[in-house]
Amino acid sequence: MKALSTEKDLLLKIDKFFSWETFRGKLESLYSKKPKRDVILLFKTLIIKFIYDISWLEGEIRDSKMFMSS
């Protein structure tokens, strides 16, 4: 498994230059009630799934209590 450890990694570049919080209000407005998971985490998950074509990732997050919002 490849570790995220270099500046060359696409995900690290995106995280360094992208203002995720800009989208928080719009993403939260899409839900009729507070989502169980952080909307920024869900947004990042969709991007990772798209970039790396990972179909199992969403299920892992859905099943893990570590990703639950407080």
Side-chain angles (χ1 to χ4, degrees), residues 1-6 9:
M1 178 180 277
K2 182 183 170 196
L4 298 177
S5 61
T6 68
D9 193 297

Side-chain angles (χ1 to χ4, degrees), residues 20-31 39-40:
W20 299 104
E21 291 299 321
T22 304
F23 295 97
R24 183 173 296 281
K26 181 64 175 172
L27 293 169
E28 288 177 344
S29 73
L30 298 173
Y31 290 88
V39 292
I40 301 298

Side-chain angles (χ1 to χ4, degrees), residues 29-58:
S29 73
L30 298 173
Y31 290 88
S32 59
K33 59 183 180 179
K34 184 178 178 184
K36 293 180 180 179
R37 282 139 195 102
D38 180 60
V39 292
I40 301 298
L41 174 66
L42 295 173
F43 187 44
K44 287 179 178 183
T45 302
L46 290 174
I47 292 172
I48 291 169
K49 283 178 64 173
F50 177 76
I51 292 171
Y52 293 104
D53 193 27
I54 301 173
S55 60
W56 54 264
L57 184 60
E58 189 174 358

